[in-house]
């Protein structure tokens, strides 16, 4: 079932890029990011309370709090940079470069999480990088 959510994620991410590019016209990129973040915040907390998972907050470890906060900071930095790039450049060029995060994630998963870096993953990473270069050059 995870693959269905992954596919839906990619569809929503694609819609996000197009909707953001249209919506950011004439709007400061930082302000646009803040508006988007507020919507995501409301939607996320709405789902937490709708599903009753708010009761698990007290069980979160200090380590998890730290890394979730760091992840949130990284997300914020990513979104700020993404919106600025999207405002300045073409979506068809910004988005492929943004998706190089797949390659960077593979490398970080190998280095930090000690996940297996297979031949298949290496070939995929090279192809993604090459495809990105073809799309943006």
């Amino acid at each position: 079932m995870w693959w269905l959510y992954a596919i839906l994620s990619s569809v929503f991410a694609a819609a996000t890029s197009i909707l953001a590019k249209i919506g950011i016209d004439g709007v400061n990129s930082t302000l646009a990011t803040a508006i988007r973040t507020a919507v995501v915040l409301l939607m996320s907390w709405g789902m937490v309370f709708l599903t009753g998972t708010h009761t698990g907050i007290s069980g979160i470890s200090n380590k998890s709090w730290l890394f979730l906060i760091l992840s949130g900071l990284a997300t914020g930095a990513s979104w700020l940079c993404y919106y600025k790039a999207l405002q300045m450049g073409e979506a068809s060029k910004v988005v492929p470069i943004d998706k190089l995060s797949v390659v960077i994630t593979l490398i970080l998963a190998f280095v930090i999480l000690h996940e297996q870096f297979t031949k298949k993953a290496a070939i995929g990473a090279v192809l993604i990088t090459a495809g990105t270069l073809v799309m943006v050059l």
Side-chain angles (χ1 to χ4, degrees), residues 11 17 24 35 47 54 62 86 104 107 136-137:
V11 170
S17 300
I24 204 167
I35 292 168
M47 287 303 296
H54 61 282
N62 288 338
L86 199 56
I104 296 167
I107 294 166
V136 299
L137 297 179

Side-chain angles (χ1 to χ4, degrees), residues 45-100:
W45 279 108
M47 287 303 296
V48 165
F49 286 105
L50 183 69
T51 60
T53 53
H54 61 282
T55 59
I57 292 174
S58 62
I60 298 173
S61 71
N62 288 338
K63 177 184 174 185
S64 288
W65 273 111
L66 172 66
F67 282 93
L68 289 171
I69 290 167
L70 291 172
S71 174
L73 291 171
T75 298
S78 172
W79 286 3
L80 287 166
C81 292
Y82 178 75
Y83 264 59
K84 189 64 174 176
L86 199 56
Q87 188 173 51
M88 297 170 70
E90 298 175 26
S92 61
K93 292 190 175 121
V94 171
V95 173
I97 293 171
D98 177 65
K99 297 309 174 199
L100 278 177

